[in-house]
Amino acid sequence: QAGRFPALLAPLIRIIHEGVDTEAVRPADPGPCRLPDGTLLDGSEPVVTFVNRRFEPMRGFHSFMRSLPGLFARAPNARAVLIGQDDGGVYGAGAGEGTTWKARLLAELGDRLDLSRVHFAGRLPLADMHALMRLGRAHVYLTYPFVLSWSLLEAMALGCLVIGSRTPPVEEVIADGHNGRLVDMFDIDALAGLMAEACSRSPADFAALREAARRTVLERFDRARICEPAWLALVEDPVAAAR
């Protein structure tokens, strides 16, 4: 958005994020998590997490769902946990009268998808969502070029291994191989391969990526040290100048 303003106004524009409470949103030893469907996840099976406020293609729901048969073929003991609602889109087009994107993708995939390993957790309290993300071997974040989701920065602050889409604005915060992994949003096989790799290897193998992900948030999006002071300055500077 800032890039669309005339160059004359560029010096007057400040880009300030809301910030992440990195004291509250931080790595911790993952404990067991019980899903709303009764499934107990205790880390004995690898878990991949995915978050949408509402499941829709704008946030990559279609690509993630289409990648799951490939994930389970490579990592048969893996589980996928999707957090969010399926009652219509927020940012993009709806799925059509009388249906949802979840229903459409399930119908498309049919018996190619092992539904016993796919868990739709619905909306969760924030603490429960973070606990699941900590437990996961990888967190997948996909989006068309659009506003970056808070959930991505929270995943990075939690020290998750993030597999993101190679799209703006994800590329503004994740560099492939440095603080996460990036994949073409529509390369279903490559996405399945990265998820399977995360599920098949030890979490310790990705420690450097996880630590770099959190460091990115600490250095650029920490609410108390970076973002709140910038917001206050936005208000105080004009007041001081007027005085």
Side-chain angles (χ1 to χ4, degrees):
Q1 292 173 331
R4 290 184 168 274
F5 282 86
L8 179 67
L9 298 178
L12 305 177
I13 296 175
R14 304 187 196 183
I15 302 172
I16 307 172
H17 196 270
E18 294 93 331
V20 176
D21 182 355
T22 57
E23 286 300 310
V25 186
R26 60 185 307 133
D29 291 334
C33 298
R34 189 172 294 279
L35 300 177
D37 65 8
T39 302
L40 179 65
L41 303 177
D42 59 6
S44 59
E45 294 180 308
V47 172
V48 174
T49 58
F50 180 84
V51 175
N52 274 182
R53 182 168 24 152
R54 287 185 171 87
F55 301 133
E56 60 180 326
M58 179 69 82
R59 294 305 199 191
F61 174 68
H62 56 335
S63 293
F64 181 72
M65 289 292 292
R66 289 166 180 161
S67 72
L68 292 181
L71 166 63
F72 298 144
R74 293 170 170 89
N77 64 334
R79 292 186 181 273
V81 178
L82 296 89
I83 302 167
Q85 295 178 272
D86 68 332
D87 56 351
V90 177
Y91 303 118
E97 187 69 28
T99 190
T100 65
W101 286 111
K102 175 185 172 183
R104 284 185 58 171
L105 267 296
L106 289 178
E108 173 189 321
L109 295 168
D111 58 9
R112 292 189 292 127
L113 181 61
D114 182 358
L115 285 175
S116 70
R117 311 204 70 80
V118 181
H119 306 274
F120 292 93
R123 293 185 64 182
L124 296 175
L126 190 62
D128 293 347
M129 183 181 84
H130 288 168
L132 274 169
M133 293 163 74
R134 289 188 184 101
L135 183 68
R137 296 288 186 90
H139 177 74
V140 176
Y141 178 78
L142 310 172
T143 184
Y144 281 75
F146 194 57
V147 177
L148 196 70
S149 298
W150 291 270
S151 63
L152 172 60
L153 294 180
E154 290 184 357
M156 295 173 71
L158 291 166
C160 296
L161 171 62
V162 176
I163 301 173
S165 55
R166 191 177 285 110
T167 50
V170 183
E171 292 173 299
E172 294 180 16
V173 295
I174 294 181
D176 185 38
H178 169 64
N179 58 356
R181 297 303 311 273
L182 294 180
V183 64
D184 185 283
M185 185 166 167
F186 305 106
D187 192 338
I188 305 305
D189 189 65
L191 175 57
L194 287 178
M195 291 191 294
E197 182 183 7
C199 290
S200 302
R201 294 171 56 183
S202 167
D205 293 341
F206 304 97
L209 293 178
R210 294 170 179 268
E211 292 166 3
R214 176 164 174 81
R215 190 162 55 247
T216 298
V217 178
L218 289 172
E219 293 174 350
R220 296 175 53 188
F221 301 101
D222 184 87
R223 182 180 298 167
R225 294 187 302 104
I226 298 170
C227 299
E228 283 185 359
W231 279 107
L232 292 173
L234 181 68
V235 176
E236 292 169 352
D237 288 356
V239 171
R243 285 173 177 167

